[in-house]
Amino acid sequence: MVPIITIDGPSGSGKGTVARLLADCFGLHCLDSGALYRLLGLAAERARVAPSMVARLVEIASAMQVEFKGDCVLLSGEDVTLAIRTEQAGNAASQVAAVPEVRAALLQWQRNYAREPGLVADGRDMGTVVFPDAGVKIFLTASPEERAKRRYNQLKEKGLDANLPRLVAEIYERDYRDTNRSVAPLLPAKDALVVDSTVLSVREVLEQVAGNVRCAYPELAQQGA
Ligand code: DC
C-alpha cells in the first residue's frame, strides 16, 4: 500500500490548506473529498433533484464527469471552481453527503486516488471509512467562531458574498448534520491525532503533522521540508 495521510475535520478547520501544503511538501497526490460532495450538491441542484430522491442522486453521482486541473475543478467540462465554494454549495453538499447510497457510490472513486507516490486525503471520513489503514490520521479542528471567521475571510478574498453571523449559524448547523448523520459521521478515528488549530498558525499545524508523517513514513522524510 502507498503512503496515505488522512486529514479529517469540520468545515473551516483548515484541513484543505494543510492537506495541500503537506502534499506539496512531500510530493504526494491530494484528494479534496469535500469538492466531490460539493460537485454532487451543485449537479443535483441544477437537475432539481432533492436529497430525498435517492435513486436519481446515485445516478448523478455515478455519471458525474469531474476533472481536477491544477486549482480548477471542472464539471462536465465547465469550470465550477468558484460555484462549488459558496455557502449554498456547501450546504447542498452536506445534505447529499448524509445519504448512505451516495457515500457508497463515491467510495471507490475516492479509493482510486491512492496511487504512487502516495496520497494526502482530506474530508470527514477519510481516516474512519475511506482509508482506515492510513499510516497517519489527523483530526483537525477549531472553535466554530474561529472557523466562521476563517471562512468569512476566504470568501471575501475570493470576492464572494459573506455575512459573519450567518456563517457562524451555518457552521453550527452543518457541524450538527455532519456529526449526527447515521453513516460516516464526522468523528476522529480511534487512532487519529487530534489537533486543535484555534490558536495555531498554518505553519505550526503543518510542522506538527509533518513530524508525524516523517515518523510513520521514513521513506518520505528526505522530501519533507
Ligand atoms: O470539506 P467541505 O466543507 O468542502 O465539505 C462539504 C460538505 O461535504 C460537508 O458539509 C460534509 C460533506 N463531506 C462529507 O460528508 N464527507 C467528506 N469526506 C467530505 C465532505
Side-chain angles (χ1 to χ4, degrees):
M1 202 174 81
V2 298
I4 297 181
I5 298 131
T6 60
I7 306 188
D8 288 307
S11 178
S13 58
K15 58 190 186 320
T17 305
V18 171
R20 265 194 315 279
L21 290 171
L22 205 64
D24 284 352
C25 174
F26 290 102
L28 304 176
H29 297 289
C30 192
L31 167 64
D32 170 4
S33 63
L36 204 54
Y37 289 96
R38 285 171 180 268
L39 284 160
L40 179 59
L42 182 72
E45 268 192 353
R46 286 180 172 181
R48 299 195 188 287
V49 170
S52 56
M53 298 160 75
V54 175
R56 284 284 290 121
L57 266 189
V58 169
E59 255 176 55
I60 296 176
S62 312
M64 265 195 323
Q65 291 194 0
V66 175
E67 269 176 275
F68 291 101
K69 274 195 178 167
D71 287 340
C72 292
V73 187
L74 308 185
L75 178 62
S76 302
E78 177 193 342
D79 186 346
V80 292
T81 315
L82 282 182
I84 61 163
R85 290 296 151 204
T86 63
E87 287 311 293
Q88 191 188 344
N91 286 322
S94 169
Q95 291 182 43
V96 296
V99 179
E101 291 85 347
V102 162
R103 304 196 74 85
L106 296 178
L107 189 60
Q108 194 54 47
W109 199 96
Q110 296 171 86
R111 287 186 175 155
N112 290 343
Y113 267 77
R115 295 189 293 254
E116 290 287 352
L119 178 69
V120 182
D122 85 82
R124 301 293 189 287
D125 61 342
M126 297 296 100
T128 48
V129 176
V130 182
F131 300 112
D133 299 326
V136 178
K137 297 182 185 179
I138 306 295
F139 190 85
L140 188 59
T141 187
S143 73
E145 288 71 20
E146 173 64 21
R147 290 188 278 126
K149 211 166 71 193
R150 290 178 191 169
R151 191 62 105 197
Y152 178 86
N153 292 335
Q154 266 176 3
L155 291 169
K156 283 284 175 194
E157 268 169 34
K158 288 181 179 154
L160 294 170
D161 195 25
N163 170 309
L164 190 56
R166 199 184 316 139
L167 283 174
V168 173
E170 282 174 358
I171 284 219
Y172 272 103
E173 194 186 318
R174 182 119 58 99
D175 280 1
Y176 182 84
R177 192 162 46 226
D178 293 346
T179 309
N180 291 286
R181 67 185 175 213
S182 61
V183 63
L186 171 64
L187 283 175
K190 286 195 177 65
D191 47 351
L193 170 73
V194 178
V195 179
D196 185 337
S197 73
T198 306
V199 295
L200 296 180
S201 67
V202 172
R203 175 131 295 276
E204 285 170 319
V205 173
L206 194 63
E207 275 168 14
Q208 202 174 333
V209 177
N212 278 58
V213 173
R214 287 189 201 99
C215 283
Y217 295 113
E219 69 272 27
L220 293 178
Q222 313 290 25
Q223 293 149 62

